[in-house]
Amino acid sequence: MGKHYAVFGSPIAHSLSPRIHAAFAKQIGVDLDYVAIEASLDDFAAALAAFAARGGNGGNVTLPLKEAAFVLCATTSERAHRAGAVNTLIRDGGNWHGDNTDGTGLIRDLTDRHGLDLRARRTLLLGAGGAARGVAPALLDAGIDQLFVVNRTTERADALVDAMGEPGRVHARYLGDVAALGEFDLIINATSAVRGGELPALPRSLVGRRTAAVDLSYGEVAIPFLAWARANGCHNAVDGLGMLVEQAAESFALWHGVRPETDAVFNELSGRNASLVTAD
Ligand code: ATR
């Protein structure tokens, strides 16, 4: 009998993860099913328990459940612990073990697929939720220079900065003061602002000679930030589709012991982006 996997989040209906994992499973020859399960913060614990009771072997967690997933895990990896956020669940006896492959996925996409050298890049991280927490440790490990975290709710930016434990290198700043921060070599949008309203105003003064702009989301919700990046002279404008495929490959490797090849899946999904503009 095959193994059972699911992605949890809200909204989840347009998630590409079931397609990505089905393609990986076919490539490697693993018998599995992978479904999308709609769950809000209020019903996530119950949905996860029900999935476990049905024999669920593993899962992915997306917006807005990554920090809640961390709390529900009996054990977590070191990188999930540093992030305080979990995107990958592994059934371990009667418990969930939590890991976080978002950071590794982002770094792989930016360095291997897009050929960006991240070392010494002065970096601005917009947002301090689960997505931002997932990628911040990996960015630091990849050798970026200073990291400035800007968030609508200042306390969350402070908490993220404290969790990184590098006060000389990682700084929280007010969103309203962003114009005073100078130029950045890497600007990452990890907010879900577009979903609930609109992107915070970002001045052109943030953009330097070789600035790469990266939105962790893809499809329609990535359009406003990437349009801002292009209009303001950023050297690269990258959406989160490649990261999505890479984090999926890392999760797949944790579950099945083999890392699938990602280019074919990425090319297929990006080639059909026009039909994916409503994806989350
Ligand atoms: P995710 O897993 O995508 O990070 P999340 O934990 O709900 O989801 O975090 C959403 C992020 O987008 C947060 O940084 C949030 O800011 P707050 O911490 O102040 O809530 C940010 N965000 C959401 N809507 C926003 C808006 N309209 N303007 C600015 N930031 C917004």
Side-chain angles (χ1 to χ4, degrees):
M1 204 184 74
K3 292 184 163 187
H4 308 297
Y5 297 86
V7 58
F8 297 84
S10 183
I12 204 67
H14 297 289
S15 170
L16 295 175
S17 293
R19 273 173 65 190
I20 294 171
H21 280 277
F24 289 162
K26 198 171 162 200
Q27 182 196 128
I28 305 292
V30 181
D31 182 16
L32 62 82
D33 54 71
Y34 186 115
V35 297
I37 297 177
E38 177 82 24
S40 68
L41 275 173
D42 289 339
D43 53 29
F44 177 45
L48 188 59
F51 177 63
R54 292 198 299 275
N57 300 99
N60 285 124
V61 182
T62 187
L63 187 119
L65 306 174
K66 291 178 185 180
E67 288 163 294
F70 178 80
V71 176
L72 291 173
C73 287
T75 56
T76 52
S77 68
E78 200 258 328
R79 59 189 175 176
H81 188 77
R82 262 176 95 193
V86 157
N87 83 327
T88 306
L89 297 162
I90 302 160
R91 198 68 182 155
D92 177 20
N95 293 311
W96 291 110
H97 174 73
D99 205 335
N100 196 318
T101 63
D102 281 338
T104 317
L106 175 66
I107 302 304
R108 254 192 198 263
D109 182 56
L110 296 182
T111 57
D112 293 0
R113 179 166 293 111
H114 295 284
L116 295 175
D117 186 348
L118 300 179
R119 286 171 299 176
R121 282 185 186 250
R122 190 167 187 265
T123 299
L124 177 64
L125 180 59
L126 303 166
R133 280 179 160 264
V135 301
L139 287 166
L140 294 167
D141 289 349
I144 60 161
D145 183 50
Q146 304 273 306
L147 177 65
F148 289 80
V149 182
V150 163
N151 195 48
R152 179 179 60 180
T153 309
T154 319
E155 293 74 19
R156 262 179 128 184
D158 290 339
L160 193 162
V161 167
D162 285 349
M164 293 307 112
E166 294 191 58
R169 189 178 176 207
V170 187
H171 319 277
R173 292 288 184 268
Y174 292 112
L175 190 52
D177 292 344
V178 76
L181 296 181
E183 290 180 2
F184 290 91
D185 308 302
L186 179 62
I187 305 176
I188 296 183
N189 180 28
T191 75
S192 56
V194 173
R195 284 187 174 84
E198 59 180 28
L199 205 62
L202 300 170
R204 192 185 188 103
S205 60
L206 299 174
V207 179
R209 195 175 41 83
R210 60 156 187 169
T211 306
V214 179
D215 199 307
L216 300 189
S217 61
Y218 59 87
E220 208 167 50
V221 287
I223 290 172
F225 178 69
L226 297 181
W228 173 86
R230 291 192 187 96
N232 288 278
C234 286
H235 195 262
N236 310 80
V238 177
D239 77 2
L241 187 64
M243 171 186 169
L244 180 80
V245 175
E246 296 305 324
Q247 64 79 29
E250 297 289 330
S251 296
F252 190 96
L254 289 172
W255 295 326
H256 309 296
V258 191
R259 192 180 198 282
E261 207 277 313
T262 56
D263 282 348
V265 176
F266 174 78
N267 290 339
E268 193 205 322
L269 294 176
S270 52
R272 292 165 62 180
N273 235 351
S275 62
L276 298 173
V277 288
T278 57
D280 282 302

